[in-house]
Amino acid sequence: MFLTKVTRCSTFFAGLLVAHAPAWAAEPVSALSLQAVIANKGLGCDLIVPTSMLQFKPLQSSQLTGAIQTYQIQPLRVQLRCVDEREAVMPTLTIEGESPYVEHDTVFLNGTPNGVGFMVRQSQGDEPISLAAFYQPTEAIGHGGKGTPLAVLDDDNQYTHEQVLWVGLVGPFQPDIMPGHFQASLTLNVAFE
């Protein structure tokens, strides 16, 4: 079983520091970390998220009234890939992020609740979900949890697949909407079994 967690910056940044250090700045105190994997199956699987930020259009606070609904939806494409596999692999997705609304644990928002948040869903065949049908907490991918199966990777798709997740801006979750910028930071984890 492989577990992939999307984190990119730290390794790349450290590589730049070493590659661009002038010769006169070299100190005898250098650290080197070596890592390798011996797999009992293929050489490994990866999750690639080409987009690191989704930007939603501004909303007027006066629009955010009445029953909870979805105001905007955007696709989030993720690419799954395994190398040198010979058996089918089942990727399972979990998400880590802040969920400040106690009774709405599938709604993500960093910081103080402002009345809205973001929900992540998967759809049959990656088909778009309508605004009217999107807000379904039981269908959403919540923080942690048992995991959501993605497409099986096997010979039929040559162990690669692009999956679409749908991210919706949903609310209101409180009567007083707080204007201002807001965001949610999510970590996507995929276990390949």
Side-chain angles (χ1 to χ4, degrees):
M1 174 175 98
F2 296 100
L3 180 63
T4 299
K5 188 173 190 171
V6 177
T7 52
R8 305 180 199 145
C9 299
S10 60
T11 304
F12 182 68
F13 184 70
L16 284 178
L17 286 177
V18 172
H20 289 85
W24 57 267
E27 297 271 335
V29 182
S30 296
L32 176 63
S33 175
L34 304 174
Q35 296 181 0
V37 172
I38 297 176
N40 59 359
K41 292 174 57 175
L43 295 179
C45 297
D46 290 319
L47 166 70
I48 301 164
V49 182
T51 303
S52 62
M53 184 171 80
L54 295 178
Q55 184 76 37
F56 289 79
K57 295 177 186 173
L59 292 172
Q60 294 282 336
S61 58
S62 61
Q63 291 176 270
L64 302 167
T65 60
I68 299 170
Q69 60 184 300
T70 306
Y71 293 92
Q72 297 173 36
I73 302 171
Q74 291 194 26
L76 175 62
R77 298 185 187 289
V78 296
Q79 298 167 357
L80 305 165
R81 177 186 63 184
C82 292
V83 178
D84 196 30
E85 283 292 338
R86 289 180 179 76
E87 297 176 21
V89 176
M90 171 55 80
T92 304
L93 172 72
T94 56
I95 296 179
E96 294 176 31
E98 289 183 43
S99 192
Y101 303 108
V102 176
E103 60 279 352
H104 303 285
D105 64 350
T106 57
V107 177
F108 297 98
L109 178 71
N110 291 4
T112 306
N114 64 356
V116 296
F118 302 95
M119 179 176 275
V120 180
R121 287 205 39 206
Q122 185 180 20
S123 67
Q124 188 70 23
D126 293 341
E127 291 297 317
I129 304 170
S130 71
L131 286 173
F134 189 85
Y135 183 73
Q136 299 291 328
T138 58
E139 299 293 320
I141 303 171
H143 176 77
K146 65 181 183 335
T148 301
L150 301 175
V152 173
L153 303 175
D154 57 18
D155 285 331
D156 293 341
N157 57 19
Q158 298 175 346
Y159 294 92
T160 62
H161 181 73
E162 182 174 276
Q163 184 89 41
V164 178
L165 302 174
W166 300 97
V167 182
L169 176 57
V170 295
F173 298 105
Q174 62 192 37
D176 297 325
I177 302 301
M178 299 172 62
H181 293 276
F182 58 97
Q183 67 179 21
S185 301
L186 304 179
T187 301
L188 306 177
N189 298 308
V190 174
F192 295 89
E193 298 183 56

